[in-house]
Amino acid sequence: MMTDPEGFDRRLGEVRLRIARAAERAGRDAGEITLMAVTKTHGPEAVDLAAEAGLRHIGENRVQEAAKKQHGVKAEVFWELIGPLQSNKARLAAAHFDRVQTVDRPKIVRALDRACGELGRSELPVLVQVNVSEDPRKAGVSVAEASALAESVHAAKHLRLEGLMTLPALDDDPEVARRAFAGLRELRDRLADGLGVPLSVLSMGMTGDLEAAVEEGSTLLRVGTALFGERETGFDA
Ligand SMILES: *Cc1c(COP(=O)(O)O)cnc(C)c1O
């Protein structure tokens, strides 16, 4: 799919304005919030377009799609896996991503840690994905099990736990997402205290709910549609 540069610049301006307004309402500095471009289903030119505009964090939800796309990308960017990871793809993920946001079970912790060891990769940054809304259709560890999982990531030799990620339940009521974001922040505070590490990254907020996410403390927004338009082959994580 072709991405149109002018449309992209205009949409980026609108997204930045939405972020700035929400940050202002919350008394936050918009400069502490990273806008990540989600380029799934789009070609390598979308990644280069985003990078040229200063968006260096690129989100992809499929390991193989990203690995293939990377060959066509000219810009130097930071690749983030935001889609579900199967343990048999852990090695490919560790080889092709700069951070994995979707660590949600012990088996994935072990598989990624082992893959990094084999690849000679000293530390792979990761986030633990939490299903704060307890939505059975969504991936993520439950709030009750998050602490044990975070401890195992923290103990893994080749992984560095940097924070938490969530994907709230889809709901017409924006308060549902807001509650999930507030819940993720509170959980982060508890886990950071318990582990004695900052867990500074809160990956939450997408096209439809980025204002609530900013107001609840997001440090990393994952935005696709608002930057690139509707996905033709729209599939979700
Ligand atoms: C696709 C996707 C996004 C981006 O969603 P938009 O609504 O297009 O902004 C964010 N996070 C995850 C995990 C996704 O799979």
Side-chain angles (χ1 to χ4, degrees):
M1 176 187 168
M2 287 300 291
T3 29
D4 94 272
E6 273 168 40
F8 177 81
D9 286 346
R10 177 179 50 75
R11 286 190 290 259
L12 174 58
E14 286 163 6
V15 171
R16 288 213 191 283
L17 195 60
R18 287 175 63 190
I19 297 169
R21 288 197 180 122
E24 196 180 313
R25 279 196 299 276
R28 297 186 63 198
D29 174 4
E32 69 189 29
I33 302 159
T34 301
L35 173 59
M36 188 176 84
V38 175
T39 50
K40 66 188 183 195
T41 77
H42 298 286
E45 70 282 357
V47 178
D48 284 323
L49 196 57
E52 229 169 88
L55 307 184
R56 296 266 159 197
H57 289 252
I58 300 296
E60 285 282 334
N61 71 337
R62 293 187 171 185
V63 177
Q64 272 147 319
E65 179 187 340
K68 205 169 138 217
K69 197 173 296 183
Q70 286 172 357
H71 292 295
V73 172
K74 296 182 197 80
E76 193 59 43
V77 296
F78 189 84
W79 294 90
E80 306 222 30
L81 181 62
I82 60 172
L85 178 60
Q86 276 134 31
S87 53
N88 62 1
K89 303 247 176 69
R91 199 182 156 96
L92 197 62
H96 286 274
F97 284 91
D98 298 299
R99 182 158 62 191
V100 173
Q101 298 202 2
T102 49
V103 171
D104 66 353
R105 56 196 190 278
K107 195 173 176 192
I108 291 298
V109 175
R110 289 193 297 272
L112 276 179
D113 193 37
R114 190 178 335 110
C116 289
E118 286 167 9
L119 292 164
R121 185 163 186 169
S122 60
E123 268 203 331
L124 175 68
V126 303
L127 306 181
V128 163
Q129 182 177 358
V130 186
N131 188 357
V132 188
S133 317
E134 310 280 343
D135 179 344
R137 287 159 304 184
K138 291 273 186 271
V141 67
S142 68
V143 170
E145 288 169 291
S147 172
L149 189 67
E151 271 172 41
S152 79
V153 175
H154 187 56
K157 190 161 174 237
H158 305 284
L159 306 180
R160 185 172 71 241
L161 181 60
E162 296 188 330
L164 305 179
M165 179 272 215
T166 198
L167 200 61
L170 271 183
D171 200 296
D172 292 333
D173 179 0
E175 288 310 305
V176 171
R178 183 183 297 276
R179 274 198 297 276
F181 298 150
L184 193 73
R185 187 193 56 221
E186 286 157 17
L187 177 64
R188 186 278 307 274
D189 293 347
R190 282 203 303 280
L191 297 183
D193 262 359
L195 292 171
V197 289
L199 304 184
S200 56
V201 181
L202 277 180
S203 172
M204 55 192 202
M206 339 201 296
T207 290
D209 53 22
L210 67 85
E211 283 85 357
V214 166
E215 288 169 21
E216 297 301 334
S218 172
T219 68
L220 184 62
L221 299 166
R222 311 179 307 264
V223 177
T225 307
L227 291 173
F228 300 107
E230 295 289 339
R231 285 178 290 275
E232 279 172 6
T233 46
F235 51 76
D236 274 308

